[in-house]
Amino acid sequence: EGSASLASRELGQGWKVNPFLMLQPGTKTVLADIKGQGAIKHIWITDSAPQRCLVIRMYWDDSDIPSVEVPLGDFFACADYQDYAQVTSIPVCVNPKRAFNCYWDMPFYKNCRMTIENIDTEQTTVYYQIDYILCELEEGYGYFHAQFRRTNPLPYKEVYTILDNVKGRGHYIGTYMFWGVNNNGWWGEGEIKFY
């Protein structure tokens, strides 16, 4: 069943069929609900929403708390809501026409659930594909986490803390930061300190 059911009638069971979703204002939609052990290998998604109007969340292994909770563009290192910005890197690529791609390995031991929320006041269209493998994993793989933080404006002469009070074993893989300049006397550079 779905918008492409006639074109996909020969595919059989297990196919997405709908090449897109129409997200109503103020609604959450499940993009993936995967049972078993495995890993997300690739996500491709594009949308028609204004920036920061869609929020993506990922939950690993029956958790009610999302391990990923980020506006869609920010997750793909493309937060500039005024201009499109192409991104070319190993884990994330943003291609022409806002084709968001990520290649992070995101393991899970029991299940994975991925949702998207439309916080805009307008309906929006989302095209997406989530590629994953189901396989036995060795013990000890870490979970993928990503969070969104914003301070606007940053109080004068104060430090903006990127990461603090992390407990347990793991790897810090980086930060994507987007900032706007609210005056013409500063060019946007700053010092980053690790303690």
Side-chain angles (χ1 to χ4, degrees):
E1 296 179 7
S3 60
S5 59
L6 185 62
S8 64
R9 66 187 176 279
E10 302 297 326
L11 292 177
Q13 295 296 312
W15 293 85
K16 184 172 63 176
V17 180
N18 287 334
F20 62 88
L21 298 172
M22 301 300 289
L23 303 180
Q24 299 303 315
T27 60
K28 292 180 185 175
T29 303
V30 175
L31 295 178
D33 192 1
I34 304 165
K35 308 290 187 220
Q37 195 171 104
I40 303 291
K41 303 300 275 183
H42 170 245
I43 299 170
W44 168 82
I45 194 165
T46 189
D47 66 286
S48 64
Q51 286 292 8
R52 294 205 171 122
C53 285
L54 297 177
V55 178
I56 191 165
R57 293 180 180 90
M58 298 177 202
Y59 304 81
W60 314 123
D61 296 342
D62 296 326
S63 177
D64 293 330
I65 300 169
S67 292
V68 173
E69 186 172 30
V70 181
L72 188 65
D74 292 88
F75 181 77
F76 291 92
C78 194
D80 191 348
Y81 51 88
Q82 296 170 346
D83 295 311
Y84 163 79
Q86 184 166 342
V87 177
T88 304
S89 71
I90 291 173
V92 174
C93 295
V94 178
N95 299 319
K97 306 289 186 193
R98 287 169 49 132
F100 298 137
N101 289 273
C102 104
Y103 297 93
W104 296 109
D105 270 351
M106 295 183 258
F108 49 90
Y109 287 92
K110 298 180 196 171
N111 54 52
C112 159
R113 188 166 51 92
M114 195 176 304
T115 66
I116 193 162
E117 181 179 7
N118 180 6
I119 60 173
D120 196 13
T121 57
E122 302 291 327
Q123 174 180 285
T124 190
T125 305
V126 172
Y127 292 81
Y128 73 102
Q129 179 172 315
I130 300 165
D131 300 316
Y132 64 94
I133 59 170
L134 293 177
C135 63
E136 287 191 31
L137 300 176
E138 295 177 22
E139 286 297 318
Y141 280 107
Y143 293 110
F144 183 90
H145 294 273
Q147 293 182 338
F148 175 75
R149 302 263 193 287
R150 182 173 190 227
T151 300
N152 185 24
L154 183 66
Y156 185 63
K157 292 189 176 184
E158 287 201 16
V159 170
Y160 180 78
T161 301
I162 294 171
L163 184 67
D164 199 9
N165 293 320
V166 176
K167 308 274 191 271
R169 298 180 59 192
H171 299 281
Y172 171 67
I173 56 174
T175 295
Y176 167 71
M177 186 182 300
F178 173 81
W179 66 62
V181 178
N182 297 318
N183 63 52
N184 60 6
W186 182 63
W187 48 90
E189 292 181 0
E191 296 179 2
I192 297 176
K193 300 174 182 74
F194 285 83
Y195 302 95

